[in-house]
């Protein structure tokens, strides 16, 4: 089955291709000739995921899905949350700067509980629907805590700082195989995969 994933983030693509496996051919934005950085101006993860999926559906007419992920830290009242990509001032997807700011904000605080949440928006063609589409959302989360310093070299984003519940190593130390079994994204993707397989609904 072929489906477009509205991203050019190579790390996310690698994770999602591995999760969906050989039953799916996942195409990136580059694969469909889209080089636009779709603005993420929503107030929630769901709104941002929908903005990206809707942009692709409206401009390319293909069934597609998009994800948006946030890291929510309890003692920071859920920050960085929907602003995770631009947490450090005057930056955009600068993981080092974001992690530095997070460690600074947390300081020596002993409550370091946090969770990652992913929302996937899927839009598939539906000729029966008045707007020609069927839109669905799938969510996944993982709880854990923020380490006092960075650990490990694998993964991306905040992975060196996030230690999932039940583990003593960060996502960046555990590596992609373990991360993919337990992560926020893998839980959302499992729901997406189940839906796509049961509805045979790709492009
Ligand atoms: P976005 O979903 O690409 O907008 O990501 C929001 C922010 O969270 C970015 O700074 C990403 O690097 C980070 N991020 C997204 N997914 C993950 C993940 O699985 N692990 C660690 N950081 C992530």
């Amino acid at each position: 089955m072929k489906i477009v994933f509205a991203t050019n983030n190579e790390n996310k693509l690698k994770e999602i291709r591995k999760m969906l496996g050989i039953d799916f051919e996942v195409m990136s934005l580059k694969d469909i000739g889209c080089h636009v950085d779709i603005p993420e101006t929503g107030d929630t993860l769901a709104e941002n995921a929908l903005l990206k999926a809707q942009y692709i559906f409206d401009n390319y007419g293909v069934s597609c899905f998009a994800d948006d992920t946030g890291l929510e830290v309890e003692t920071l009242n859920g920050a960085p949350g929907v602003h995770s990509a631009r947490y450090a001032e005057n930056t955009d997807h600068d993981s080092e700067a974001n992690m530095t700011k997070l460690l600074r904000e947390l300081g020596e605080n002993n409550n370091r509980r946090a969770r990652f949440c992913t929302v996937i928006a899927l839009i598939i063609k539906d000729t029966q629907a008045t707007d020609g589409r069927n839109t669905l959302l799938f969510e996944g989360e993982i709880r854990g805590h923020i380490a006092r310093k960075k650990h490990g070299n694998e993964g991306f984003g905040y992975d060196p700082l996030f230690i999932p519940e039940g583990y003593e190593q960060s996502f960046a130390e555990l590596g992609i195989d373990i991360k993919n079994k337990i992560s926020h994204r893998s839980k959302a993707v499992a729901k997406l995969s189940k839906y796509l397989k049961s509805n045979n609904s790709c492009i």
Side-chain angles (χ1 to χ4, degrees):
M1 288 190 231
K2 260 190 187 179
I3 185 107
V4 174
F5 177 25
T7 191
N8 273 325
N9 179 326
E10 289 298 330
N11 291 298
K12 283 188 181 179
L13 264 172
K14 191 173 158 197
E15 284 188 6
I16 283 198
R17 284 189 172 133
K18 222 168 178 212
M19 285 169 200
L20 287 174
I22 54 169
D23 292 339
F24 294 90
E25 184 185 339
V26 181
M27 296 191 294
S28 67
L29 293 184
K30 207 162 61 186
D31 295 331
I32 60 165
C34 175
H35 302 284
V36 176
D37 191 14
I38 306 163
E40 296 176 28
T41 50
D43 292 327
T44 62
L45 298 177
E47 278 179 48
N48 280 339
L50 279 167
L51 280 173
K52 290 185 267 188
Q54 276 159 356
Y55 180 91
I56 296 307
F57 191 86
D58 292 343
N59 289 281
Y60 293 82
V62 290
S63 298
C64 62
F65 67 93
D67 89 330
D68 199 40
T69 295
L71 173 66
E72 297 172 3
V73 179
E74 189 176 279
T75 197
L76 301 179
N77 301 316
V82 72
H83 306 294
S84 293
R86 292 167 200 84
Y87 188 41
E89 292 77 15
N90 306 316
T91 64
D92 188 3
H93 284 90
D94 182 340
S95 298
E96 287 302 319
N98 287 337
M99 287 190 287
T100 301
K101 177 169 179 186
L102 181 56
L103 287 176
R104 193 174 65 236
E105 295 289 319
L106 271 174
E108 293 306 310
N109 205 315
N110 285 327
N111 175 6
R112 307 184 80 84
R113 279 193 291 274
R115 71 167 194 148
F116 267 119
C117 185
T118 286
V119 177
I120 290 177
L122 169 71
I123 304 184
I124 46 181
K125 280 184 196 166
D126 182 351
T127 48
Q128 311 288 310
T130 45
D131 58 356
R133 68 189 70 184
N134 191 4
T135 303
L136 296 108
L137 294 175
F138 306 94
E139 280 190 40
E141 70 148 18
I142 180 159
R143 292 179 180 275
H145 71 272
I146 302 300
R148 287 180 191 272
K149 62 183 182 74
K150 292 182 279 174
H151 299 275
N153 301 310
E154 293 196 54
F156 66 101
Y158 295 89
D159 280 349
L161 287 182
F162 187 81
I163 303 186
E165 229 166 58
Y167 292 80
E168 287 180 359
Q169 290 176 300
S170 72
F171 267 159
E173 291 176 296
L174 292 168
I176 191 169
D177 288 334
I178 296 179
K179 183 183 175 192
N180 273 359
K181 281 200 183 96
I182 60 174
S183 78
H184 45 302
R185 187 166 295 104
S186 70
K187 287 173 187 159
V189 169
K191 294 174 190 169
L192 168 76
S193 167
K194 191 172 168 199
Y195 179 85
L196 290 174
K197 282 181 179 164
S198 60
N199 290 274
N200 202 20
S201 45
C202 294
I203 55 177

